[in-house]
Amino acid sequence: MERVIALGFFDGVHLGHGQLLRRCRLAADQLGCQAAALTFDLHPDTLVFGREVPLLSSPRDRERLMRELYGMDQVLTVHFDRAMRDMPWEEFLERVLLEEYHAVGLICGHDFRFGAGGRGTASLLQEAAAKHGISCAVVPEYRVENVPVSSTYIRQLLAQGDMDRARLFLGHPHLLSGKVTRGNQLGRTLGIPTANLIPDPALLLPPRGVYACRARIPGGACLAVANIGTRPTVGGTGLTVEPWLLDFQGDLYGQEVTLELWRYLRPEQKFPSLEALQNEIRRNAAETREFFSDRDQK
């Protein structure tokens, strides 16, 4: 199966990535083949530099976004291990891209580096691709409000709780997914039944607090108010992600829920009583409904 392949890690699938993916889709349509994005299961920095990089998106959300927003036919997730880290860039081109994935076209960013020691560059890839008789397009830097779009910058925005500006650079709301597990059921006694999500521990979590969300649930979607934190009012200790799915009734245990975090409403705080907590959560639910009502009317 012949493919045009966009190359990158694509963490968060932001607007800069979108330039590569749109170019890939267009080239694939012109050649009558598959449009594919190649990514890795681990961030390369974990082995190249020995440091953990908090991820903006899980591999599953990354693939979902690339398919939904940019029409990728395939997302090729390659295992990044020491052998991959130490592979010369020429071998990666010939053995992985050409022989294994049958690339007939390549798309990469201007600052793309790959192969052992990061010796492979966009210009070297372009030259080598031409010798193999395939195209290689190099996409220039993409800016929003004259700021270069990058995963590093978006991590900074999310760490500050600036969901609006993060959304501007991502081109979509920040996603946070996890499977629903059984909690202590306290929310049900307050008339505010929450789902208890376990997100991927490798993911970057925005600041502790309450967020206005849309929730993607099996079979549909609904509004949600989500708390990220330790639940200090009820003596919680471990970090949890607990959305209250508004206007939803049903059992989601064991199923995956994806939260679109649209607005940071307030920081997490300890309330003097459960009644005060209940009143504040209901106020946050009203804020959430108003926020999305205003958006839908625009």
Side-chain angles (χ1 to χ4, degrees):
M1 179 187 298
E2 293 185 335
R3 303 174 174 92
V4 175
I5 302 177
L7 302 170
F9 187 61
F10 299 106
D11 189 22
V13 192
H14 56 57
L15 289 177
H17 299 141
Q19 302 306 301
L20 276 71
L21 299 172
R22 286 194 180 95
R23 188 77 173 266
C24 179
R25 179 72 267 170
L26 178 62
D29 289 342
Q30 291 172 341
L31 293 172
C33 63
Q34 297 280 293
L38 187 144
T39 182
F40 297 102
D41 59 347
L42 301 174
H43 196 291
D45 283 3
T46 57
L47 289 178
V48 174
F49 299 112
R51 64 169 183 256
E52 294 290 333
V53 177
L55 300 181
L56 296 173
S57 54
S58 67
R60 184 168 178 174
D61 282 339
R62 208 180 309 150
E63 176 172 353
R64 178 187 305 170
L65 288 167
M66 286 193 276
R67 288 182 181 274
E68 288 181 359
L69 299 180
Y70 300 106
M72 290 297 99
D73 297 310
Q74 295 178 306
V75 176
L76 310 171
T77 302
V78 177
H79 178 50
F80 193 85
D81 54 15
R82 286 180 173 79
M84 182 62 65
R85 178 196 64 185
D86 298 336
M87 182 182 294
W89 71 266
E90 300 93 338
E91 182 180 350
F92 181 80
L93 169 61
E94 294 171 8
R95 186 159 69 84
V96 178
L97 297 178
L98 298 179
E99 294 178 15
E100 184 174 355
Y101 291 124
H102 308 291
V104 294
L106 300 171
I107 314 289
C108 69
H110 70 287
D111 57 351
F112 181 64
R113 303 191 75 89
F114 68 112
R119 295 185 182 89
T121 63
S123 59
L124 287 174
L125 180 61
Q126 204 167 34
E127 292 173 8
K131 292 177 181 178
H132 286 280
I134 68 171
S135 64
C136 177
V138 177
V139 177
E141 177 182 77
Y142 187 71
R143 290 172 171 254
V144 171
E145 296 181 347
N146 207 32
V147 177
V149 178
S150 71
S151 297
T152 299
Y153 180 60
I154 294 169
R155 286 189 193 96
Q156 294 173 4
L157 294 175
L158 292 176
Q160 298 164 8
D162 193 344
M163 312 310 292
D164 292 337
R165 191 162 177 82
R167 187 169 68 252
L168 176 66
F169 281 75
L170 285 167
H172 57 82
H174 178 56
L175 302 186
L176 185 59
S177 297
K179 282 193 173 180
V180 178
T181 63
R182 292 192 180 276
N184 60 13
Q185 309 292 303
L186 176 63
R188 294 185 182 280
T189 66
L190 299 176
I192 303 171
T194 58
N196 187 47
L197 302 188
I198 301 180
D200 186 328
L203 292 178
L204 170 71
L205 290 180
R208 298 179 185 184
V210 177
Y211 294 81
C213 306
R214 276 198 174 103
R216 303 184 186 189
I217 59 178
C222 62
L223 301 185
V225 178
N227 184 78
I228 299 175
T230 59
R231 302 169 298 160
T233 303
V234 297
T237 53
L239 191 65
T240 65
V241 178
E242 293 191 35
W244 175 24
L245 306 178
L246 307 180
D247 306 320
F248 172 80
Q249 293 182 340
D251 185 355
L252 292 173
Y253 291 121
Q255 301 187 68
E256 185 174 78
V257 168
T258 298
L259 298 176
E260 299 177 354
L261 278 66
W262 282 78
R263 174 63 58 87
Y264 183 39
L265 297 178
R266 63 170 175 84
E268 185 176 48
Q269 62 190 100
K270 185 175 181 179
F271 291 91
S273 66
L274 289 179
E275 182 180 7
L277 171 63
Q278 180 186 45
N279 291 337
E280 180 62 16
I281 294 174
R282 292 193 179 281
R283 190 181 71 82
N284 297 148
E287 285 182 284
T288 296
R289 293 186 192 279
E290 182 178 3
F291 170 76
F292 284 108
S293 175
D294 289 343
R295 282 192 58 84
D296 291 343
Q297 290 174 12
K298 290 179 181 179

